[in-house]
Amino acid sequence: MIIFIPGLNQAPASFIFSNPNVKFLCLSFNKKMRPNLSNDLKQIRKIFKNNSKSVVIAHSIAALLIEWLIQNENLDIRDNKLIYMAPAFYPPTILAKIVKVSARGVLSHLPVPSLAPPKSRARSYVELSIYREILVLNEGIALSKCTADVIVDQRDEMLNIKYLKGISQLEVVRENQFPHHRCYTSLKRIID
């Protein structure tokens, strides 16, 4: 069985696969509701507790959440194979520090517009506080400890590919579909 977990603000219905053995795990950030990362972490723990010998493909923030659980809570992935598509791993930068400091209080609700095509997104924006949470989770990640297979597009709009070179199982691909962060061509290649 293949378990696919879409990334932040990705509409699950926009991923069309012909493989009937794909099970979608939709987290709060794939729905129109406000994301709740603590509930999402509970769902991820449960999926690994209840499944073994599956291929788990996690996109963007879903990959970040899984890797954070592995490195910080010793999540037992059992006999599951992990593949991260465009994981939301970000280096500590001045911009990251500014976002973490400013995304509190009233500013935390500031809407950041999505550049993704309307058909592929769950909402038209994501609140700044979610990006702050992503950056805070990144502080608990050591790229050198990541053992999952990682696939990123060399033209990814969201990621720093040079930073990701610290991952031993990194595969850099070139896709011809925007947004490149979605890695849809590679997802179809792996799943179908």
Side-chain angles (χ1 to χ4, degrees), residues 90-101:
Y90 298 104
T93 63
I94 292 172
L95 178 59
K97 287 179 185 178
I98 291 169
V99 169
K100 285 191 309 191
V101 169

Side-chain angles (χ1 to χ4, degrees), residues 104-120:
R104 297 173 190 238
V106 176
L107 286 180
S108 68
H109 300 292
L110 185 73
V112 178
S114 173
L115 299 177
K119 289 181 188 176
S120 68

Side-chain angles (χ1 to χ4, degrees), residues 21-53:
N21 297 315
V22 178
K23 176 182 175 182
F24 281 79
L25 174 62
C26 295
L27 301 174
S28 68
F29 47 78
N30 304 122
K31 302 171 187 166
K32 298 223 179 258
M33 61 196 283
R34 187 183 189 294
N36 182 330
L37 298 186
S38 62
N39 282 347
D40 294 337
L41 290 169
K42 288 178 192 172
Q43 273 194 275
I44 291 170
R45 286 183 200 101
K46 185 177 177 182
I47 204 80
F48 283 98
K49 183 179 178 186
N50 296 334
N51 291 282
S52 64
K53 298 186 179 167

Side-chain angles (χ1 to χ4, degrees), residues 111-183:
V112 178
S114 173
L115 299 177
K119 289 181 188 176
S120 68
R121 65 185 185 212
R123 293 176 291 297
S124 61
Y125 71 91
V126 175
E127 289 182 356
L128 188 60
S129 63
I130 298 303
Y131 291 107
R132 181 186 185 285
E133 289 183 56
I134 290 169
L135 294 170
V136 169
L137 286 168
N138 266 278
E139 292 173 357
I141 299 290
L143 295 184
S144 61
K145 293 181 180 178
C146 179
T147 60
D149 291 337
V150 176
I151 299 172
V152 296
D153 188 316
Q154 69 182 18
R155 296 184 294 174
D156 192 300
E157 309 83 9
M158 306 289 291
L159 300 176
N160 178 333
I161 303 302
K162 287 181 183 176
Y163 174 70
L164 297 176
K165 301 245 176 179
I167 300 171
S168 62
Q169 302 290 1
L170 179 67
E171 178 185 351
V172 180
V173 298
R174 182 173 176 151
E175 300 204 0
N176 294 318
Q177 268 187 309
F178 178 83
H180 300 283
H181 185 68
R182 192 167 156 87
C183 287

